[in-house]
Amino acid sequence: MAHLRAAGVSLVLDLSGGFLPRVLHWGADLGALSRPALEDLRLARRPQPIGFSVDGPVPVAVLPEQSAGWLGTPGLVGNRGGADFSTAFRVREATLVADDDRPDTGGRVVVRADDDTARLGLELTVELCPAGLVRQRATVVNRGASRFALDALDLTLPVPTAAVELLDFTGHHLRERSPQRTPFTQGLRVRENRTGRTGYDAAYLLVAGTAGFANRAGEAWGVHTGWSGNHRTFAERTFHAVSLLGSGELLLSGEVLLEPDASYTSPWQYGSYGDGLDDLSARFHRHLRARPRHPSTPRPVVVNTWEAVYFDHDLARLRELADAAAAVGAERFVLDDGWFGSRRDDRRGLGDWYVSDEVWPDGLGPLTDHVTGLGMQFGIWVEPEMVNEDSDLARAHPDWIMAAEGRLPGRARSQQVLDLARPEVFAHILERLDELLSTYPISYLKWDHNRDLVEAGHRTTGRAGVHDQTLAAYRLLDELRRRHPGVEIESCSSGGGRVDLAILERTDRVWVSDCIDALERQQIQRWTNALIPLELMGTHVGSGVAHTTDRRHVIDFRAGTALFGHFGIEWDITRADPDDAARLGEWVALYKELRPLLHSGTAVHADHPDPAYRVHGVVARDASEAVYAIVATATSELYPPGPVSLPGLDPDATYRVRPQAPGDVPDGNASRWGVDLPWWTPQGVHLSGRVLADVGLQAPVLFPERLVLLRATRV
């Protein structure tokens, strides 16, 4: 038995009988349990041996096996020429690594097992991280003399029968991470992603929870697969009172064929338990922030050129944009698509990573010198994994394009996919990017990935290649980071199509969505934040008319939405109204003031009963201060609206709560008619954290698609 505890979470593993590990409990901390108490817990959890597919209870391991009597989804699927279709692993060694002096900081169990009949070896690692996050993965080794075809290697975590609802996500380009709820009933609910990237409509997080679980209420258990290629996520419930959340890489037919002594390692599966969704998310955030490579410097204000100039690259115009960016306080200037080869539109030139002589006859030096001379960092857009057929690279090496035998896949965005798993392709792309980063003072790469992988095969073998392509992309990112450790990289994939914890091991932020319509972003950013902290989320202010929706928004709503993330600007501010430009400068200044709080504090979301209003914020780790946004997304059925609660503060402390400029203008009918909200003054009110959470304070009347900010400071 192993009892791992950390940050209010217990993970109890049954390692007895030579079977693979079984989870007896994953959830709220059980406190210190003696060895006899753990044995009694195991006894207390054993069901009556009736109604099973075999006589006696059926142990369901984190890698479930049919040989144990489990007839649900098996953990390992494969065969050796049609034989060895079912495994029966027996543990030969189990090692517990934990700090005996600090039993509440988690630990790790490593199990090594063999199936002598199937001639397979297995290593399982199950961890409880200091943040209370469960992390597990498996490696299978072919011990036989013939090839073993591996079709699936999925890991599971059990949840209690009290978890009766499921939350996962769907979406599409410009509407990523859209939540959906379903009952957790008997049977199998499977979400599969075959796009070759994390995907817009991936399950992202699959959460099981008690009835009506919400941001601040109910228990919730969630899993995430740390993998940027095809993956599979499922929830399974049987009439034997077994409920599982599972996931793993989705392997295409014949994609992983293990030769003798070869091995396959699954992606990390992450599991988070929480008292409400905010608590569940906070474990992911604390885990990510504890990484050695987590961004530690202040996240600079970004200006990206895409929605300002598109493909119209002109030195004078871009210098003017850089001047305007510096004037409002920007700290990083990113040159987007169109700087290389024949790339004057999105149908040609991709893959020719040479500075265009046509657009930049003197190279990028005149622009980079101007940008850095203004005190800003310089960044640039690349899409290394893709190629246009109309490019010098594709004409010279048509065989470098991934394809099924005998035909090219259909074009998407006029693009095809380069086979990075081929050594010569990998070496060429690495050489071109290395040359670019060595020639110019580039401190940031916006790394894009703009199409799904359709029929992505290796032409040399005819086999499916998404698995190899994903690993090759990781190696390319890793090697560039090794050669250029000061360069930060953003994961962009037609917006938010590649957001997962594996890509974030190699990148410093994600582009949340190509849609920067502030109303759409309210939901997209909220659910991106369900997994990752704000400092890893690219959140930009667009122009007054949204590029992707044609919706109009005032500057305060756009900037106040972008504030909660890694703030940037995607807008030709040389053409901005002077008042808007000045107002933008005020929001930039506020972001710089607040980013230490925003990027280290705990994200909170109120469970507000009015669907027209949302309340979210960030509370400092020591609860000394907080900032909140009250957001009106529609008209309320109440007039004026009711009170809003401010969650997450120290219940026993007193806070001064007041409006926060420049988000202190309650733009609505009441203010325009001169009807003031009594407490809405620079002095504000003094209330305890308990009162603010349980009673709340009156929200101002707001027009739809407006927001205001509140600042809370402990006194």
Side-chain angles (χ1 to χ4, degrees):
M1 300 283 287
H3 181 198
L4 305 178
R5 301 170 61 207
V9 173
S10 278
L11 179 68
V12 181
L13 297 172
D14 184 357
L15 305 172
S16 64
F19 295 106
L20 297 177
R22 285 88 67 203
V23 176
L24 294 182
H25 172 78
W26 167 41
D29 189 3
L30 301 177
L33 295 178
S34 65
R35 177 60 57 183
L38 288 172
E39 296 293 342
D40 278 354
L41 173 61
R42 176 169 58 195
L43 179 62
R45 291 298 308 273
R46 286 175 65 89
Q48 290 176 279
I50 187 170
F52 292 101
S53 52
V54 295
D55 291 340
V58 174
V60 183
V62 296
L63 184 79
E65 296 182 284
Q66 189 173 124
S67 59
W70 171 249
L71 293 180
T73 303
L76 190 152
V77 179
N79 69 88
R80 194 185 304 275
D84 299 331
F85 70 94
S86 180
T87 62
F89 285 107
R90 290 297 174 263
V91 174
R92 57 181 169 83
E93 180 184 6
T95 304
L96 170 62
V97 180
D99 188 342
D100 293 335
D101 296 327
R102 301 180 65 194
D104 58 347
T105 58
R108 180 173 69 253
V109 172
V110 180
V111 171
R112 295 176 178 86
D114 295 301
D115 182 338
D116 293 334
T117 301
R119 291 156 291 168
L120 296 173
L122 182 72
E123 180 173 297
L124 273 171
T125 300
V126 185
E127 299 179 352
L128 183 64
C129 304
L133 203 65
V134 175
R135 192 170 78 146
Q136 59 178 353
R137 70 177 176 185
T139 298
V140 62
V141 183
N142 182 8
R143 306 286 193 206
S146 59
R147 175 188 289 172
F148 185 85
L150 182 69
D151 297 321
L153 187 62
D154 296 331
L155 297 175
T156 65
L157 286 167
V159 297
T161 54
V164 295
E165 293 182 18
L166 295 173
L167 167 69
D168 62 3
F169 297 85
T170 181
H172 54 72
H173 183 225
L174 310 178
R175 201 177 192 272
E176 296 88 336
R177 287 168 291 286
S178 182
Q180 57 183 6
R181 290 208 185 212
T182 54
F184 193 175
T185 55
Q186 289 187 23
L188 183 65
R189 175 173 171 79
V190 184
R191 296 292 309 282
E192 291 188 340
N193 169 63
R194 298 174 182 270
T195 64
R197 47 181 168 174
T198 319
Y200 309 121
D201 62 340
Y204 187 61
L205 275 169
L206 174 59
V207 181
T210 54
F213 72 94
N215 295 318
R216 312 292 298 179
E219 290 185 284
W221 297 259
V223 297
H224 168 80
T225 309
W227 184 247
S228 311
N230 295 341
H231 54 276
R232 182 171 182 265
T233 310
F234 60 90
E236 186 163 17
R237 172 160 277 170
T238 75
F239 64 82
H240 296 303
V242 175
S243 302
L244 301 173
L245 302 180
S247 69
E249 182 183 5
L250 191 158
L251 297 173
L252 300 177
S253 181
E255 195 165 27
V256 174
L257 303 174
L258 297 178
E259 302 297 341
D261 297 321
S263 65
Y264 166 85
T265 299
S266 74
W268 282 110
Q269 179 195 76
Y270 296 83
S272 184
Y273 163 79
D275 185 6
L277 288 169
D278 278 354
D279 190 30
L280 182 150
S281 297
R283 300 192 189 283
F284 284 110
H285 300 172
R286 289 196 296 269
H287 176 76
L288 288 166
R289 286 170 170 169
R291 302 172 301 161
R293 290 203 60 154
H294 191 75
S296 57
T297 56
R299 303 290 77 216
V301 177
V302 177
V303 166
N304 187 274
T305 67
W306 178 244
E307 290 193 17
V309 303
Y310 300 101
F311 288 104
D312 185 14
H313 285 203
D314 174 80
L315 177 59
R317 184 177 179 188
L318 288 166
R319 278 176 168 167
E320 183 185 7
L321 181 61
D323 291 340
V328 298
E331 299 159 305
R332 174 180 286 162
F333 186 90
V334 180
L335 183 66
D336 212 287
D337 196 358
W339 57 268
F340 54 92
S342 60
R343 186 75 166 178
R344 307 289 80 79
D345 54 50
D346 66 356
R347 297 183 296 278
R348 52 185 167 149
L350 191 61
D352 298 337
W353 300 113
Y354 299 87
V355 177
S356 171
D357 292 336
E358 176 187 352
V359 179
W360 299 100
D362 298 317
L364 292 176
L367 180 61
T368 62
D369 290 347
H370 188 77
V371 168
T372 56
L374 292 168
M376 292 188 291
Q377 301 173 12
F378 184 81
I380 202 163
W381 179 94
V382 293
E383 192 174 0
E385 298 153 81
M386 305 299 168
V387 65
N388 289 135
E389 290 176 56
D390 184 2
S391 67
D392 293 341
L393 182 66
R395 283 185 285 271
H397 301 285
D399 56 317
W400 286 10
I401 295 174
M402 298 192 82
E405 190 171 358
R407 61 181 178 273
L408 279 179
R411 300 185 191 94
R413 302 271 305 259
S414 300
Q415 296 178 193
Q416 298 286 2
V417 183
L418 289 172
D419 190 351
L420 290 181
R422 290 181 62 163
E424 63 272 30
V425 181
F426 184 97
H428 172 78
I429 296 299
L430 175 61
E431 183 273 331
R432 294 313 314 140
L433 295 179
D434 183 47
E435 172 71 16
L436 178 68
L437 293 174
S438 299
T439 301
Y440 295 104
I442 295 170
S443 60
Y444 179 84
L445 288 179
K446 179 180 178 181
W447 187 295
D448 216 337
H449 179 287
N450 272 319
R451 67 156 293 168
D452 295 334
L453 273 60
V454 178
E455 288 196 313
H458 301 306
R459 289 188 171 188
T460 52
T461 63
R463 284 169 51 187
V466 174
H467 171 76
D468 295 338
Q469 181 78 356
T470 307
L471 293 176
Y474 290 164
R475 289 196 304 273
L476 181 58
L477 286 160
D478 290 343
E479 179 59 20
L480 281 170
R481 295 293 291 260
R482 188 191 69 80
R483 296 186 185 190
H484 304 276
V487 173
E488 293 189 359
I489 301 176
E490 174 185 76
S491 172
C492 177
S493 188
S494 311
R498 187 149 70 174
V499 180
D500 63 82
L501 297 193
I503 200 67
L504 278 167
E505 289 297 319
R506 298 153 174 93
T507 57
D508 301 280
R509 77 169 202 169
V510 300
W511 183 224
V512 172
S513 177
D514 279 345
C515 179
I516 51 176
D517 175 316
L519 180 63
E520 300 294 329
R521 275 290 187 124
Q522 283 289 328
Q523 173 164 285
I524 296 170
Q525 290 175 198
R526 186 273 170 270
W527 293 112
T528 304
N529 185 226
L531 180 69
I532 65 176
L534 298 181
E535 64 269 25
L536 300 182
M537 295 167 41
T539 55
H540 290 187
V541 182
S543 67
V545 179
H547 162 77
T548 55
T549 65
D550 207 37
R551 189 182 277 135
R552 296 175 181 272
H553 286 132
V554 298
I555 180 64
D556 286 352
F557 187 63
R558 285 140 51 205
T561 299
L563 179 72
F564 291 87
H566 181 177
F567 188 93
I569 302 162
E570 193 107 1
W571 172 18
D572 186 358
I573 50 178
T574 65
R575 302 179 183 180
D577 176 272
D579 290 341
D580 276 0
R583 193 67 166 173
L584 177 61
E586 294 179 43
W587 281 99
V588 169
L590 178 65
Y591 167 75
K592 291 179 179 179
E593 176 191 343
L594 290 180
R595 62 187 165 191
L597 167 62
L598 294 168
H599 299 164
S600 67
T602 301
V604 295
H605 303 82
D607 292 312
H608 190 60
D610 187 343
Y613 276 69
R614 298 179 182 180
V615 182
H616 66 91
V618 178
V619 179
R621 286 173 293 183
D622 62 0
S624 61
E625 63 173 333
V627 61
Y628 296 91
I630 302 175
V631 185
T633 58
T635 57
S636 174
E637 64 180 18
L638 303 177
Y639 192 63
V644 296
S645 64
L646 303 183
L649 299 170
D650 181 348
D652 297 319
T654 297
Y655 292 86
R656 176 191 171 204
V657 183
R658 73 278 189 195
Q660 171 63 61
D664 58 347
V665 179
D667 194 8
N669 284 329
S671 60
R672 293 196 180 180
W673 293 342
V675 181
D676 296 328
L677 179 62
W679 76 268
W680 196 266
T681 67
Q683 292 74 37
V685 291
H686 290 71
L687 294 168
S688 72
R690 181 173 287 106
V691 170
L692 290 167
D694 295 343
V695 179
L697 38 72
Q698 180 63 49
V701 175
L702 296 174
F703 288 130
E705 299 165 35
R706 301 290 198 276
L707 61 75
V708 289
L709 299 182
L710 301 180
R711 190 79 171 268
T713 307
R714 188 165 54 202
V715 297

